[in-house]
Amino acid sequence: MSLATPPSATLAAAASPEEALLQALPDAAWLVELPSCRVRAVNAAACALLGREPRALCGAPAEDLLAAPEDLAWWAEARRLLAAGRPPEPLDSHTVLATAEGGIRHLRRVARPLHRSDGAAPAACLVALQDLSETQQARAELADALAELRATLEATADGILVTGLDGEVRGFNRRFAELWALPPELAEVGRGADVLAWMNRAVRDGKTQARRLETLRDAASLAATDRIELVSGLVLERVARPLESAGRAIGRVYSFRDLTERLRAHDRIDALARHDALTGLPNRLHMAAQIEQAVRSMRHTGDAFALLVIDLDRFRRINDSLGYEHGDRVLRDAGERIRRGLRQADQIARTGGDQFALLLRHADAAAAEAAAARVLAAVARPWQADDQPFTLTCSIGIALCPAHGRNADELLTHAEAAVRQAKLAGSNGLRFHQQHAGADLRAQIQLDHAMRQALAAGRFRLHYQPQVSLSDGRIVGAEALLRWSDPALGEVPPGRFIPVAEDTGFIIALGDWVLSRAISQAARWHRSGLEVPVAVNVSALQFRQPRFLDRVRSVLRDHALPPSLLELELTESILLHDADQALPRLHGLASLGVRLAIDDFGTGYSSLAYLKRLPVGRLKLDRSFVHGLPDDARDAGITRATVQMALALGMEVVAEGVETEAQRRFVAAAGCHAFQGFLHAPALDPLSFASRLAEHAPDPATAPREGRDGNRRAGDGAAALQGERGLAVGAAPTGARLALVHRPVCD
């Protein structure tokens, strides 16, 4: 690099062509007279570099201008050779110069004798200096940048590979070598061809890999992301991006991220969500998905299929007599017995406590009946526990697609209804779903008429079950539950009349009556100074009415009830079916200030991606999961997982069906906010509820109330008290658990 010539620099007029040429050189240079080795002439650039005037330099010994050891040695050797009549060899090397300002200059110094054309000994030597300081600094900065980049690439968790446009390897980091398990002898940039060959062998599908790389080489500016599986079992996410310089592609950069553990964790979570923990069989969620898949296939191929629901007869006696450990073993063995008789295309699932489901593909009524007969025989084979032989039978309900339904909900519902009929007929048998059998249809017509008359005559009433805070024992809410006492029919359980009301559409009028009556009662309590939120169950059909939101707003306004004292409980099926219409309606209710809760959580098919969008404040943990607490590890795990999920979604959790102090302690420790159930109180008439609320009942933690039998299991006593409290709307009889049930107005 050249230096600008100072304006003050003045040089003597050139005395020779060599000196004239010297002055024209852009870099610092001077002529040294031989053999005296004294400076004869300098140019302006040299004066500027050395910081000295020409007159101070001319005539000085050559080693005075540059006095590095190498210079001193070269000039001494030059004098010796010149004295012997021989010219010195040229000097071309790097050196440093300390400037007058205290800086350091990095120089390339060339000292070369100027040979004469007549062959005589050289009379002068040219010393030229090239200032490399800026170049040296740029190189140092570049080296620092490269070191920083290399450290960054080595620190990343991703493997990085850089190739040229021709695909040849230019470099990679250590993480890349680890992921691809490169041998030490290949972990060098110079072995690029061998690295590529190794990669081709390491990929499970080498042909697809080669085609993919060829596509990327042909499209230099293409960015792409895909997954590849290695023979080692690793699954890598590969991101390919063009490497550009000055706006043009010069190669490609690949990053490889190890997805193996993440995918395995996802598979484990999916397996837990879609499989039964006790038997390892698919669960109801998985079976519903398989049914929907079979329905879609049927629409294209026309192949009918059958759904069998298998319910073990009197299985509760196994748990009560032999213990839950033996009961669990029987469930596992029962699933295995059923599975052995299946064809390869058939599928089995455990859909409830002692209930299984079979999906028989390409099956008509005859094939379904034959399969059911094999299952009956397999289950009826002798059983043994602790050298105690016993007999176990099962009942089977059958629904055919498309004859009995065209979706999972319909087929499961109809098959479960058929298995109930089989059990009512004496168990150890099978029943096909019957489309409105004559007797059943007449009974439904009579019950529908009686319901309508009862509503007009004022025979329906509401009871209120307290919801109790688990932190301090206060009553923090009430669930409105529907009761019907008929002069001719007696006390009609909700499980009997609600399904008929839903089937006939009368549930809309009935639900509207419950909504109005509950809000009216809550308003009376509010005016008397008792502020307690009242929860009302909403049926799917009622919720889907076009003016449902307006009706809620109108009733609240008519009774002057603050919206915060009304909570609407919705089942998962309401939220997931017709989601596009449900979500705006939910936000409309939330904007009124009404509280929203998901009832019977865990019995439907919830989507977390959808739940997080809902303006819902509470989840109600279904009583079927509370039933086995704290002894049933499956119920315990489900309860903890549900509470943690709800907390993650910012929701409170209310546990339903708490009947023992042990259950209350467990749900409290799990993180539930409140509970309701017979441990505190059954559903009470309005006056009794108000009295209990006014009494400021003590904290259940300090004054626990056990069930009638003291430390009984959660389920014991429920049947005995069933006549007092009624069944949950849409709840199935003992032994059958229905997912996606509608519970509009009762418990």
Side-chain angles (χ1 to χ4, degrees):
M1 297 181 183
S2 61
L3 296 174
T5 303
S8 59
T10 58
L11 300 176
S16 67
E18 292 89 348
E19 294 175 356
L21 180 60
L22 178 70
Q23 301 304 326
L25 292 177
D27 293 326
W30 54 84
L31 284 175
V32 178
E33 189 176 81
L34 299 179
S36 65
C37 296
R38 289 183 175 275
V39 177
R40 187 171 77 191
V42 297
N43 66 4
C47 294
L49 176 65
L50 299 175
R52 298 165 69 180
E53 293 294 330
R55 58 178 171 271
L57 297 175
C58 290
E63 54 266 38
D64 286 0
L65 275 66
L66 287 177
E70 186 178 10
D71 294 279
L72 297 176
W74 191 83
W75 286 113
E77 177 67 10
R79 287 188 177 91
R80 187 185 67 79
L81 291 173
L82 289 169
R86 290 182 297 161
E89 293 294 325
L91 172 65
D92 188 347
S93 64
H94 289 191
T95 187
V96 293
L97 173 68
T99 65
E101 295 80 10
I104 296 294
R105 294 283 187 173
H106 294 270
L107 306 172
R108 178 190 176 189
R109 169 243 300 108
V110 178
R112 187 183 303 275
L114 299 178
H115 295 281
R116 297 171 59 173
S117 58
D118 57 4
C125 176
L126 176 65
V127 178
L129 303 178
Q130 183 181 8
D131 191 349
L132 302 179
S133 299
E134 293 183 5
T135 302
Q136 192 74 11
Q137 182 179 356
R139 287 178 178 174
E141 292 174 352
L142 179 59
D144 291 345
L146 289 175
E148 181 179 345
L149 176 60
R150 185 174 294 108
T152 301
L153 294 179
E154 293 297 348
T156 183
D158 294 345
I160 305 296
L161 171 68
V162 181
T163 69
L165 289 176
D166 55 0
E168 285 297 314
V169 174
R170 292 187 177 180
F172 51 82
N173 63 356
R174 282 194 297 269
R175 180 57 176 161
F176 171 84
E178 293 172 0
L179 291 176
W180 289 86
L182 292 183
E185 62 270 16
L186 290 185
E188 300 177 6
V189 176
R191 304 288 297 276
D194 294 338
V195 171
L196 290 177
W198 178 273
M199 292 175 65
N200 289 334
R201 292 193 299 270
V203 175
R204 189 174 296 278
D205 187 354
K207 293 182 179 179
T208 301
Q209 159 79 353
R211 288 196 301 269
R212 182 66 172 165
L213 292 178
E214 184 177 352
T215 300
L216 291 173
R217 281 196 295 268
D218 293 341
S221 61
L222 178 66
T225 301
D226 62 353
R227 289 183 183 178
I228 54 177
E229 185 176 355
L230 304 187
V231 175
S232 64
L234 293 184
V235 179
L236 306 180
E237 179 186 58
R238 174 174 57 189
V239 178
R241 297 188 181 279
L243 177 62
E244 297 181 343
S245 176
R248 64 184 183 89
I250 61 172
R252 188 170 291 279
V253 177
Y254 297 90
S255 66
F256 299 89
R257 178 166 298 179
D258 187 358
L259 302 180
T260 310
E261 287 304 318
R262 185 190 306 176
L263 294 176
R264 288 174 182 169
H266 180 272
D267 291 342
R268 288 194 293 268
I269 293 172
D270 185 65
L272 290 173
R274 302 174 72 84
H275 287 77
D276 174 55
L278 175 64
T279 63
L281 297 174
N283 60 12
R284 188 184 187 93
L285 174 65
H286 185 77
M287 175 56 73
Q290 294 300 314
I291 295 172
E292 293 295 352
Q293 184 183 48
V295 169
R296 290 192 294 270
S297 177
M298 181 270 298
R299 291 170 182 164
H300 292 290
T301 64
D303 291 334
F305 65 89
L307 178 67
L308 278 61
V309 170
I310 304 158
D311 199 300
L312 302 181
D313 297 328
R314 293 171 290 279
F315 176 75
R316 185 183 184 86
R317 294 194 307 182
I318 303 295
N319 283 335
D320 293 342
S321 60
L322 302 178
Y324 281 86
E325 181 178 351
H326 285 290
D328 289 346
R329 188 182 307 163
V330 168
L331 288 173
R332 288 192 292 267
D333 292 345
E336 180 61 22
R337 288 189 181 193
I338 296 169
R339 187 191 62 78
R340 287 176 189 159
L342 298 181
R343 301 169 300 175
Q344 185 174 1
D346 299 336
Q347 292 170 300
I348 180 175
R350 184 187 177 207
T351 55
D354 57 358
Q355 189 178 96
F356 300 86
L358 292 183
L359 177 61
L360 305 179
R361 298 180 183 271
H362 315 296
D364 55 12
E369 187 171 358
R374 292 195 299 272
V375 172
L376 289 170
V379 174
R381 290 200 306 269
W383 297 76
Q384 190 163 335
D386 291 341
D387 298 325
Q388 173 66 47
F390 63 93
T391 298
L392 182 65
T393 62
C394 66
S395 300
I396 302 177
I398 305 173
L400 303 175
C401 180
H404 299 156
R406 293 178 176 271
N407 58 56
D409 286 349
E410 290 180 354
L411 291 168
L412 283 167
T413 299
H414 292 161
E416 288 170 337
V419 80
R420 290 195 292 271
Q421 293 300 317
K423 296 178 84 70
L424 291 174
S427 302
N428 193 26
L430 63 90
R431 286 289 186 276
F432 282 89
H433 170 66
Q434 296 182 355
Q435 299 276 29
H436 300 297
D440 292 339
L441 184 57
R442 285 192 297 271
Q444 288 187 17
I445 293 174
Q446 293 170 0
L447 192 59
D448 177 58
H449 177 72
M451 274 193 302
R452 297 174 189 272
Q453 296 300 313
L455 185 61
R459 296 185 184 124
F460 285 101
R461 66 192 187 280
L462 288 183
H463 281 191
Y464 300 86
Q465 187 169 43
Q467 296 176 342
V468 183
S469 170
L470 282 164
S471 62
D472 56 15
R474 293 182 302 106
I475 296 177
V476 294
E479 182 177 5
L481 302 173
L482 184 61
R483 301 290 182 260
W484 175 20
S485 182
D486 190 87
L489 302 175
E491 194 74 21
V492 186
R496 180 181 172 192
F497 67 84
I498 288 296
V500 176
E502 291 178 330
D503 188 53
T504 62
F506 183 64
I507 193 68
I508 298 175
L510 198 56
D512 187 70
W513 181 88
V514 171
L515 178 68
S516 178
R517 184 58 59 93
I519 290 178
S520 175
Q521 180 62 66
R524 286 196 293 273
W525 283 334
H526 174 60
R527 288 192 294 271
S528 66
L530 300 176
E531 295 206 4
V532 56
V534 174
V536 177
N537 290 274
V538 178
S539 73
L541 192 58
Q542 181 185 8
F543 179 77
R544 295 188 186 115
Q545 294 304 301
R547 300 188 61 80
F548 176 72
L549 178 60
D550 294 335
R551 177 58 178 161
V552 173
R553 182 187 296 110
S554 173
V555 178
L556 288 171
R557 183 180 61 248
D558 291 345
H559 294 282
L561 179 69
S564 61
L565 295 181
L566 173 64
E567 182 176 78
L568 299 181
E569 295 186 358
L570 311 164
T571 60
E572 295 172 79
S573 60
I574 296 177
L575 304 177
L576 297 177
H577 292 180
D578 298 327
D580 292 338
Q581 296 182 11
L583 192 58
R585 191 163 300 177
L586 291 172
H587 282 290
L589 291 168
S591 67
L592 290 179
V594 172
R595 304 183 183 190
L596 298 174
I598 299 177
D599 195 20
D600 294 347
F601 185 80
T603 61
Y605 312 128
S606 294
S607 165
L608 296 183
Y610 184 67
L611 283 179
K612 70 179 183 179
R613 301 166 55 198
L614 302 178
V616 174
R618 294 207 296 181
L619 298 183
K620 299 197 72 178
L621 182 66
D622 185 64
R623 66 180 64 250
S624 64
F625 303 127
V626 177
H627 173 82
L629 298 177
D631 300 323
D632 191 313
R634 294 161 296 166
D635 286 344
I638 291 173
T639 298
R640 293 190 186 99
T642 300
V643 172
Q644 291 302 313
M645 183 208 67
L647 293 177
L649 293 173
M651 300 179 185
E652 295 182 354
V653 181
V654 179
E656 297 182 300
V658 176
E659 298 184 354
T660 69
E661 175 60 17
Q663 291 173 343
R664 188 201 68 80
R665 287 196 299 267
F666 185 91
V667 297
C672 290
H673 300 80
F675 77 97
Q676 63 185 82
F678 274 69
L679 176 63
H680 182 85
L684 305 170
D685 62 79
L687 184 59
S688 299
F689 181 89
S691 298
R692 180 173 290 258
L693 185 62
E695 288 172 2
H696 298 286
D699 188 341
T702 60
R705 296 181 55 191
E706 295 294 334
R708 294 190 303 176
D709 300 327
N711 294 325
R712 65 189 180 199
R713 292 189 61 81
D716 299 336
L721 295 171
Q722 178 176 320
E724 176 183 348
R725 64 170 177 168
L727 290 175
V729 173
T734 303
R737 297 181 183 175
L738 294 182
L740 297 179
V741 296
H742 302 311
R743 300 189 47 203
V745 287
C746 51
D747 181 30

PDB file of all heavy atoms in Angstrom, residues 159-177:
ATOM      1  N   GLY A 159     -26.326 -29.688  13.673  1.00  0.00           N
ATOM      2  CA  GLY A 159     -25.202 -30.018  12.812  1.00  0.00           C
ATOM      3  C   GLY A 159     -25.231 -29.137  11.577  1.00  0.00           C
ATOM      4  O   GLY A 159     -26.281 -28.957  10.965  1.00  0.00           O
ATOM      5  N   ILE A 160     -24.094 -28.563  11.206  1.00  0.00           N
ATOM      6  CA  ILE A 160     -24.003 -27.643  10.075  1.00  0.00           C
ATOM      7  C   ILE A 160     -23.085 -28.249   9.018  1.00  0.00           C
ATOM      8  O   ILE A 160     -21.985 -28.704   9.320  1.00  0.00           O
ATOM      9  CB  ILE A 160     -23.465 -26.263  10.500  1.00  0.00           C
ATOM     10  CG1 ILE A 160     -24.323 -25.682  11.634  1.00  0.00           C
ATOM     11  CG2 ILE A 160     -23.427 -25.313   9.311  1.00  0.00           C
ATOM     12  CD1 ILE A 160     -25.749 -25.410  11.243  1.00  0.00           C
ATOM     13  N   LEU A 161     -23.569 -28.221   7.779  1.00  0.00           N
ATOM     14  CA  LEU A 161     -22.784 -28.701   6.639  1.00  0.00           C
ATOM     15  C   LEU A 161     -22.829 -27.638   5.551  1.00  0.00           C
ATOM     16  O   LEU A 161     -23.907 -27.121   5.229  1.00  0.00           O
ATOM     17  CB  LEU A 161     -23.360 -30.014   6.105  1.00  0.00           C
ATOM     18  CG  LEU A 161     -22.780 -30.539   4.791  1.00  0.00           C
ATOM     19  CD1 LEU A 161     -21.330 -30.985   4.988  1.00  0.00           C
ATOM     20  CD2 LEU A 161     -23.623 -31.677   4.244  1.00  0.00           C
ATOM     21  N   VAL A 162     -21.673 -27.294   4.981  1.00  0.00           N
ATOM     22  CA  VAL A 162     -21.591 -26.317   3.900  1.00  0.00           C
ATOM     23  C   VAL A 162     -21.046 -27.033   2.667  1.00  0.00           C
ATOM     24  O   VAL A 162     -20.035 -27.740   2.740  1.00  0.00           O
ATOM     25  CB  VAL A 162     -20.669 -25.138   4.273  1.00  0.00           C
ATOM     26  CG1 VAL A 162     -20.622 -24.118   3.137  1.00  0.00           C
ATOM     27  CG2 VAL A 162     -21.151 -24.479   5.562  1.00  0.00           C
ATOM     28  N   THR A 163     -21.740 -26.842   1.540  1.00  0.00           N
ATOM     29  CA  THR A 163     -21.300 -27.443   0.284  1.00  0.00           C
ATOM     30  C   THR A 163     -21.220 -26.376  -0.787  1.00  0.00           C
ATOM     31  O   THR A 163     -21.819 -25.301  -0.668  1.00  0.00           O
ATOM     32  CB  THR A 163     -22.260 -28.554  -0.188  1.00  0.00           C
ATOM     33  OG1 THR A 163     -23.512 -27.960  -0.581  1.00  0.00           O
ATOM     34  CG2 THR A 163     -22.515 -29.569   0.916  1.00  0.00           C
ATOM     35  N   GLY A 164     -20.483 -26.685  -1.847  1.00  0.00           N
ATOM     36  CA  GLY A 164     -20.452 -25.815  -3.011  1.00  0.00           C
ATOM     37  C   GLY A 164     -21.644 -26.090  -3.905  1.00  0.00           C
ATOM     38  O   GLY A 164     -22.479 -26.959  -3.630  1.00  0.00           O
ATOM     39  N   LEU A 165     -21.724 -25.336  -4.991  1.00  0.00           N
ATOM     40  CA  LEU A 165     -22.830 -25.552  -5.919  1.00  0.00           C
ATOM     41  C   LEU A 165     -22.788 -26.941  -6.529  1.00  0.00           C
ATOM     42  O   LEU A 165     -23.826 -27.486  -6.931  1.00  0.00           O
ATOM     43  CB  LEU A 165     -22.794 -24.493  -7.032  1.00  0.00           C
ATOM     44  CG  LEU A 165     -23.157 -23.066  -6.610  1.00  0.00           C
ATOM     45  CD1 LEU A 165     -22.984 -22.109  -7.778  1.00  0.00           C
ATOM     46  CD2 LEU A 165     -24.587 -23.007  -6.087  1.00  0.00           C
ATOM     47  N   ASP A 166     -21.610 -27.515  -6.623  1.00  0.00           N
ATOM     48  CA  ASP A 166     -21.481 -28.856  -7.183  1.00  0.00           C
ATOM     49  C   ASP A 166     -21.760 -29.940  -6.155  1.00  0.00           C
ATOM     50  O   ASP A 166     -21.688 -31.136  -6.477  1.00  0.00           O
ATOM     51  CB  ASP A 166     -20.073 -29.056  -7.754  1.00  0.00           C
ATOM     52  CG  ASP A 166     -18.984 -28.775  -6.714  1.00  0.00           C
ATOM     53  OD1 ASP A 166     -19.344 -28.433  -5.557  1.00  0.00           O
ATOM     54  OD2 ASP A 166     -17.801 -28.891  -7.063  1.00  0.00           O
ATOM     55  N   GLY A 167     -22.089 -29.552  -4.919  1.00  0.00           N
ATOM     56  CA  GLY A 167     -22.395 -30.522  -3.885  1.00  0.00           C
ATOM     57  C   GLY A 167     -21.205 -30.967  -3.077  1.00  0.00           C
ATOM     58  O   GLY A 167     -21.358 -31.714  -2.100  1.00  0.00           O
ATOM     59  N   GLU A 168     -20.006 -30.537  -3.446  1.00  0.00           N
ATOM     60  CA  GLU A 168     -18.815 -30.944  -2.717  1.00  0.00           C
ATOM     61  C   GLU A 168     -18.791 -30.300  -1.329  1.00  0.00           C
ATOM     62  O   GLU A 168     -19.132 -29.137  -1.165  1.00  0.00           O
ATOM     63  CB  GLU A 168     -17.556 -30.551  -3.489  1.00  0.00           C
ATOM     64  CG  GLU A 168     -17.268 -31.433  -4.691  1.00  0.00           C
ATOM     65  CD  GLU A 168     -17.000 -32.876  -4.282  1.00  0.00           C
ATOM     66  OE1 GLU A 168     -16.222 -33.085  -3.326  1.00  0.00           O
ATOM     67  OE2 GLU A 168     -17.588 -33.784  -4.894  1.00  0.00           O
ATOM     68  N   VAL A 169     -18.369 -31.064  -0.351  1.00  0.00           N
ATOM     69  CA  VAL A 169     -18.330 -30.595   1.031  1.00  0.00           C
ATOM     70  C   VAL A 169     -17.216 -29.572   1.212  1.00  0.00           C
ATOM     71  O   VAL A 169     -16.075 -29.807   0.827  1.00  0.00           O
ATOM     72  CB  VAL A 169     -18.125 -31.778   1.993  1.00  0.00           C
ATOM     73  CG1 VAL A 169     -17.940 -31.278   3.427  1.00  0.00           C
ATOM     74  CG2 VAL A 169     -19.305 -32.725   1.917  1.00  0.00           C
ATOM     75  N   ARG A 170     -17.590 -28.425   1.817  1.00  0.00           N
ATOM     76  CA  ARG A 170     -16.605 -27.387   2.117  1.00  0.00           C
ATOM     77  C   ARG A 170     -16.285 -27.302   3.603  1.00  0.00           C
ATOM     78  O   ARG A 170     -15.220 -26.826   3.968  1.00  0.00           O
ATOM     79  CB  ARG A 170     -17.098 -26.030   1.634  1.00  0.00           C
ATOM     80  CG  ARG A 170     -17.180 -25.919   0.113  1.00  0.00           C
ATOM     81  CD  ARG A 170     -17.500 -24.498  -0.285  1.00  0.00           C
ATOM     82  NE  ARG A 170     -17.516 -24.335  -1.732  1.00  0.00           N
ATOM     83  CZ  ARG A 170     -17.777 -23.180  -2.349  1.00  0.00           C
ATOM     84  NH1 ARG A 170     -18.045 -22.101  -1.620  1.00  0.00           N
ATOM     85  NH2 ARG A 170     -17.781 -23.109  -3.666  1.00  0.00           N
ATOM     86  N   GLY A 171     -17.201 -27.740   4.424  1.00  0.00           N
ATOM     87  CA  GLY A 171     -16.932 -27.684   5.851  1.00  0.00           C
ATOM     88  C   GLY A 171     -18.132 -28.150   6.645  1.00  0.00           C
ATOM     89  O   GLY A 171     -19.266 -28.212   6.142  1.00  0.00           O
ATOM     90  N   PHE A 172     -17.911 -28.501   7.903  1.00  0.00           N
ATOM     91  CA  PHE A 172     -18.977 -28.896   8.810  1.00  0.00           C
ATOM     92  C   PHE A 172     -18.468 -28.736  10.234  1.00  0.00           C
ATOM     93  O   PHE A 172     -17.264 -28.613  10.476  1.00  0.00           O
ATOM     94  CB  PHE A 172     -19.433 -30.335   8.552  1.00  0.00           C
ATOM     95  CG  PHE A 172     -18.318 -31.342   8.497  1.00  0.00           C
ATOM     96  CD1 PHE A 172     -17.775 -31.878   9.661  1.00  0.00           C
ATOM     97  CD2 PHE A 172     -17.807 -31.760   7.278  1.00  0.00           C
ATOM     98  CE1 PHE A 172     -16.753 -32.798   9.616  1.00  0.00           C
ATOM     99  CE2 PHE A 172     -16.784 -32.683   7.219  1.00  0.00           C
ATOM    100  CZ  PHE A 172     -16.247 -33.207   8.392  1.00  0.00           C
ATOM    101  N   ASN A 173     -19.414 -28.732  11.197  1.00  0.00           N
ATOM    102  CA  ASN A 173     -19.018 -28.601  12.596  1.00  0.00           C
ATOM    103  C   ASN A 173     -19.005 -29.974  13.275  1.00  0.00           C
ATOM    104  O   ASN A 173     -19.395 -30.985  12.699  1.00  0.00           O
ATOM    105  CB  ASN A 173     -19.929 -27.614  13.345  1.00  0.00           C
ATOM    106  CG  ASN A 173     -21.375 -28.083  13.401  1.00  0.00           C
ATOM    107  OD1 ASN A 173     -21.729 -29.104  12.821  1.00  0.00           O
ATOM    108  ND2 ASN A 173     -22.214 -27.335  14.087  1.00  0.00           N
ATOM    109  N   ARG A 174     -18.554 -29.967  14.530  1.00  0.00           N
ATOM    110  CA  ARG A 174     -18.436 -31.232  15.244  1.00  0.00           C
ATOM    111  C   ARG A 174     -19.790 -31.890  15.472  1.00  0.00           C
ATOM    112  O   ARG A 174     -19.902 -33.112  15.476  1.00  0.00           O
ATOM    113  CB  ARG A 174     -17.734 -31.000  16.591  1.00  0.00           C
ATOM    114  CG  ARG A 174     -16.221 -30.836  16.471  1.00  0.00           C
ATOM    115  CD  ARG A 174     -15.558 -30.952  17.839  1.00  0.00           C
ATOM    116  NE  ARG A 174     -15.998 -29.890  18.729  1.00  0.00           N
ATOM    117  CZ  ARG A 174     -15.393 -28.719  18.861  1.00  0.00           C
ATOM    118  NH1 ARG A 174     -14.323 -28.450  18.123  1.00  0.00           N
ATOM    119  NH2 ARG A 174     -15.835 -27.812  19.696  1.00  0.00           N
ATOM    120  N   ARG A 175     -20.833 -31.055  15.689  1.00  0.00           N
ATOM    121  CA  ARG A 175     -22.162 -31.626  15.923  1.00  0.00           C
ATOM    122  C   ARG A 175     -22.631 -32.411  14.711  1.00  0.00           C
ATOM    123  O   ARG A 175     -23.276 -33.464  14.854  1.00  0.00           O
ATOM    124  CB  ARG A 175     -23.157 -30.501  16.250  1.00  0.00           C
ATOM    125  CG  ARG A 175     -24.572 -30.966  16.519  1.00  0.00           C
ATOM    126  CD  ARG A 175     -24.637 -31.969  17.643  1.00  0.00           C
ATOM    127  NE  ARG A 175     -26.009 -32.338  17.958  1.00  0.00           N
ATOM    128  CZ  ARG A 175     -26.344 -33.434  18.617  1.00  0.00           C
ATOM    129  NH1 ARG A 175     -25.401 -34.262  19.047  1.00  0.00           N
ATOM    130  NH2 ARG A 175     -27.611 -33.702  18.865  1.00  0.00           N
ATOM    131  N   PHE A 176     -22.315 -31.941  13.517  1.00  0.00           N
ATOM    132  CA  PHE A 176     -22.649 -32.680  12.298  1.00  0.00           C
ATOM    133  C   PHE A 176     -21.955 -34.045  12.312  1.00  0.00           C
ATOM    134  O   PHE A 176     -22.573 -35.075  12.009  1.00  0.00           O
ATOM    135  CB  PHE A 176     -22.230 -31.886  11.065  1.00  0.00           C
ATOM    136  CG  PHE A 176     -22.339 -32.649   9.774  1.00  0.00           C
ATOM    137  CD1 PHE A 176     -23.548 -32.720   9.100  1.00  0.00           C
ATOM    138  CD2 PHE A 176     -21.244 -33.303   9.244  1.00  0.00           C
ATOM    139  CE1 PHE A 176     -23.643 -33.431   7.917  1.00  0.00           C
ATOM    140  CE2 PHE A 176     -21.332 -34.016   8.061  1.00  0.00           C
ATOM    141  CZ  PHE A 176     -22.546 -34.082   7.395  1.00  0.00           C
ATOM    142  N   ALA A 177     -20.670 -34.047  12.671  1.00  0.00           N
ATOM    143  CA  ALA A 177     -19.936 -35.311  12.707  1.00  0.00           C
ATOM    144  C   ALA A 177     -20.534 -36.264  13.735  1.00  0.00           C
ATOM    145  O   ALA A 177     -20.587 -37.479  13.517  1.00  0.00           O
ATOM    146  CB  ALA A 177     -18.460 -35.047  13.019  1.00  0.00           C
TER     147      ALA A 177
END
